[in-house]
Amino acid sequence: MDHPRRRGWAVLRHLAAPALAVAVVATLPMTRAGQAQAAPEFTPGLAPVSVNYGLPSGQTVKGQFLSYNDFHGAIDPPSGSSAAVNGVPAGGVEYLATYLKKLRAEAKGEGRQTLTVGAGDLIGATPLVSAAFHDEPTIELMNEVGLQISSVGNHEFDEGVAELIRLQRGGCHPTDGCQDGDGFGGAKFTYLAANTINKKTGLPILPPIDIRFVNGVPVGFVGLTLEGTAGIVNPAGIKDVRFANEVETANKWSNILKLFGVKAQVLLVHQGGQQNVSDTVPVPGVSDCNNFSGPIIDIVKGLNPEFGVVVSGHTHRFYSCTLPNSKGTSVVTSAGTVGQLITDIDYSIDRRTGKFAQITAKNVVVENGVPDGNGGWLKDASGVFLKNPATVDAKAKKVADKYRTAVAPIANKVVGSITGDIVRTTAANGESPLGDVIADAQLAYTSAGGAQIAFMNPGGIRADFDAEFSAGGEPTGQVTYGEAFTVQPFNNLVVTQSFTGAQIKDVLEQQFVGFGGQTTQRILQVSGGLTYSWNSTAAAGSKVSAIALNGTPIDPAATYQVTTNDFLANGGDGFTNLALGTGRTTAPGFDIDALVAYLGAGTPVTPGPANRITKLG
């Protein structure tokens, strides 16, 4: 006969789904962040992070969390300047699978049960090998490598809420069908979305929590995206949901878990921080917590003390920290981005109290290179790191190769050429050579319809153009469709609207915090012919001056035709003033089509001058 307690836990495991939300969400009020107990003064330590919670010595169970975040469909190993982590070549899904298996095997040898978790942005802003199939390849590969639970991130909403739910549950794409011919079963892992609330029902769109058992002891997981998600994804896809406060939501579900006796809790949150260089640490290590800053600090400060582990993301930085929560200390981690690191978290839980007794954490580099025997890594004649076939996971490679083969004819087609590397790194004025090129491409794409100005959001530029990189064997300087798509992967529409000169001034002022509700400084990339100056010391609403088009000052009363992607035109990135245009027209195709047309228009494209914007102070 089943033990009554085990039957109870089995029921609770199922209550982690939305059914639990229906039953209890209305009965437990949110704890306001301001009500959290003040945390003690605390200085984060350096790696390896190790916390002992000082519980009485007794019987414990041992476990391991393996985590990663911000994978962004990086099926292929990263290239160019992103190929290495602190000098070590890393990444690629067949190498990620190998290292996950290796770390699990080591934990099993120590008597530890492994749970593999993520902190969002597994999909979205993905290379063509994933994006061409609506990120089904990434979901299939996350299944293959053994992911079990992940929070959603902002990029999980790139194609809207309905598409995210399809990726979780399975089924063919409503427009393109099942492109690979073998159906799509959806994610075997569980996406958690505790603070993504359906406006109509008031409930999370996906499970808010999950509960797993480690040798009979429950461990609870709460999964969140950042509260600011609505401002950084296309508003059209999220119009029926709202994003609740991270601390309030986490603590509400933490209290529900405690109500059922689950006291070892993990927060998976798509928000993070970063290490900062210092005189003593010019290059922080992958597991360090050097001079740490970022939004995650204040989030952790307000958390219930049951959250012993916080797996974070979003900032694409690596770190392993101990930070104060409302009454104690949490271990806070991030594994960088694109599958180049795995966070290895070992822990023990006190059986009597059900609480974490001890936690350690470190980041492990997913090496893909061939050692040269002298502490370095072998490269080919072009200076590209050689890949190590001995550390390839055959099963993951088989899945990845299926999609690589399917997309190769499109991805490897040469679409244009460049004279040299074109980078997205911005100067002090906020402008980048690649930002100039993309804005020019969108202006050229719509100029026949009367467009005079184009703006591009810097966050939509996802990679540099590397002239030497050759994905399909093309000569130096030639650009393939796949490379162009990696730079601009969102498939946004290209729209043109009418704005007065005064409205354009407001758009430019809204680049800065404090004007029009803007909360984050974002410098738009501008097309050739438009120039202006800005002063960081001026008051909000008065930072921008000397706006001119082809040398002629902008007339506040005149009307101008302005091109942007539809993300910006719908008010994305806080640019609500770009949603006020009139007479919107939509060009054929997508923003990637504008870039490809520009690259293939004639002579090789040169880096933009990055001198259209002047910073005065």
Side-chain angles (χ1 to χ4, degrees):
M1 185 176 74
D2 289 342
H3 193 283
R5 181 167 179 171
R6 287 197 174 275
R7 288 202 305 271
W9 282 122
V11 172
L12 176 57
R13 173 68 179 82
H14 289 290
L15 287 178
L20 176 60
V22 175
V24 300
V25 72
T27 69
L28 189 71
M30 282 192 173
T31 300
R32 299 296 300 179
Q35 295 174 335
Q37 179 175 324
E41 290 295 322
F42 187 82
T43 301
L46 296 182
V49 166
S50 183
V51 176
N52 190 316
Y53 289 97
L55 294 176
S57 178
Q59 189 177 11
T60 61
V61 298
K62 297 193 295 184
Q64 177 194 55
F65 303 125
L66 296 179
S67 66
Y68 54 92
N69 49 275
D70 297 275
F71 183 72
H72 289 293
I75 293 171
D76 297 326
S79 61
S81 61
S82 300
V85 176
N86 284 8
V88 180
V93 73
E94 52 264 72
Y95 301 96
L96 177 67
T98 295
Y99 271 80
L100 287 169
K101 289 180 178 179
K102 175 177 179 287
L103 292 169
R104 289 175 189 137
E106 292 173 355
K108 185 176 181 181
E110 298 175 355
R112 296 184 184 275
Q113 179 180 330
T114 301
L115 293 168
T116 304
V117 302
D121 278 11
L122 305 176
I123 59 172
T126 53
L128 189 64
V129 67
S130 183
F133 305 96
H134 298 283
D135 283 329
E136 292 174 15
T138 295
I139 298 297
E140 188 173 341
L141 280 159
M142 294 301 94
N143 293 342
E144 175 61 39
V145 304
L147 183 67
Q148 293 165 280
I149 311 167
S150 180
S151 69
V152 296
N154 54 288
H155 282 286
E156 263 76 18
F157 297 94
D158 281 353
E159 293 192 41
V161 170
E163 174 64 0
L164 170 59
I165 292 174
R166 181 187 77 87
L167 290 174
Q168 173 72 87
R169 298 177 180 172
C172 297
H173 189 272
T175 301
D176 295 331
C178 285
Q179 296 165 276
D180 64 356
D182 61 3
F184 176 63
K188 294 179 181 178
F189 61 92
T190 302
Y191 264 128
L192 302 182
N195 67 332
T196 306
I197 309 301
N198 183 298
K199 292 178 181 178
K200 189 172 183 179
T201 66
L203 299 173
I205 62 166
L206 288 169
I209 63 175
D210 201 346
I211 300 166
R212 302 292 171 116
F213 293 89
V214 179
N215 293 323
V217 178
V219 178
F221 296 85
V222 179
L224 312 165
T225 186
L226 70 156
E227 184 179 3
T229 292
I232 52 176
V233 300
N234 198 321
I238 56 169
K239 57 182 174 51
D240 295 326
V241 299
R242 62 178 179 85
F243 298 92
N245 177 264
E246 301 100 334
V247 176
E248 294 173 1
T249 305
N251 285 343
K252 178 175 77 171
W253 290 105
S254 169
N255 291 336
I256 291 173
L257 289 169
K258 283 193 294 182
L259 186 66
F260 288 100
V262 183
K263 297 178 181 177
Q265 300 177 9
V266 178
L267 180 63
L268 309 176
V269 56
H270 192 71
Q271 180 59 290
Q274 65 181 41
Q275 299 188 68
N276 296 283
V277 299
S278 63
D279 292 339
T280 56
V281 186
V283 181
V286 296
S287 296
D288 289 351
C289 189
N290 186 66
N291 198 18
F292 192 73
S293 64
I296 194 66
I297 294 174
D298 286 336
I299 290 174
V300 175
K301 279 182 181 177
L303 293 178
N304 287 351
E306 285 76 14
F307 284 116
V309 177
V310 177
V311 178
S312 65
H314 187 55
T315 57
H316 292 195
R317 305 301 179 94
F318 46 70
Y319 47 84
S320 181
C321 300
T322 47
L323 298 175
N325 58 42
S326 63
K327 295 181 181 178
T329 300
S330 298
V331 172
V332 183
T333 68
S334 174
T337 184
V338 297
Q340 293 182 305
L341 296 167
I342 300 166
T343 306
D344 182 355
I345 306 169
D346 288 337
Y347 64 91
S348 61
I349 299 174
D350 179 72
R351 279 193 179 275
R352 182 180 62 82
T353 64
K355 297 179 180 180
F356 285 115
Q358 188 267 345
I359 303 170
T360 64
K362 63 181 179 180
N363 281 324
V364 177
V365 181
V366 179
E367 298 176 5
N368 63 27
V370 180
D372 65 5
N374 297 310
W377 304 90
L378 295 179
K379 298 181 179 181
D380 64 16
S382 300
V384 176
F385 289 110
L386 296 178
K387 301 298 181 289
N388 191 349
T391 53
V392 167
D393 181 82
K395 290 184 178 180
K397 185 177 187 300
K398 182 178 179 180
V399 177
D401 282 350
K402 176 180 73 171
Y403 291 105
R404 288 166 177 154
T405 300
V407 82
I410 302 170
N412 295 334
K413 180 181 179 182
V414 173
V415 296
S417 58
I418 54 180
T419 61
D421 295 349
I422 308 179
V423 301
R424 56 182 171 151
T425 304
T426 58
N429 63 351
E431 191 176 352
S432 74
L434 186 50
D436 286 355
V437 167
I438 293 175
D440 289 347
Q442 294 189 5
L443 180 60
Y445 197 63
T446 54
S447 59
Q452 300 162 280
I453 297 167
F455 293 128
M456 174 62 191
N457 55 305
I461 307 171
R462 305 302 294 189
D464 300 334
F465 275 127
D466 183 345
E468 291 78 28
F469 179 66
S470 178
E474 72 278 3
T476 295
Q478 292 198 339
V479 179
T480 65
Y481 184 87
E483 291 165 353
F485 192 90
T486 299
V487 168
Q488 205 170 359
F490 290 105
N491 272 342
N492 288 315
L493 300 174
V494 181
V495 302
T496 304
Q497 304 177 90
S498 295
F499 291 88
T500 65
Q503 288 178 309
I504 291 173
K505 170 73 157 54
D506 286 345
V507 166
L508 296 175
E509 292 287 1
Q510 204 168 26
Q511 297 175 116
F512 306 103
V513 175
F515 184 83
Q518 184 61 270
T519 58
T520 303
Q521 179 170 303
R522 296 183 175 93
I523 305 299
L524 295 169
Q525 307 300 287
V526 300
S527 55
L530 183 70
T531 57
Y532 71 91
S533 300
W534 64 278
N535 191 329
S536 62
T537 64
S542 301
K543 293 182 183 292
V544 176
S545 61
I547 310 171
L549 181 60
N550 299 319
T552 302
I554 290 285
D555 181 352
T559 299
Y560 300 86
Q561 297 296 301
V562 178
T563 293
T564 67
N565 56 46
D566 66 327
F567 167 75
L568 284 173
N570 291 337
D573 273 351
F575 285 99
T576 55
N577 283 309
L578 279 171
L580 303 179
T582 59
R584 181 186 295 202
T585 60
T586 302
F590 301 101
D591 51 2
I592 180 61
D593 299 310
L595 180 59
V596 165
Y598 192 73
L599 291 167
T603 58
V605 173
T606 61
N611 64 358
R612 298 162 184 174
I613 302 170
T614 301
K615 186 175 184 290
L616 300 176

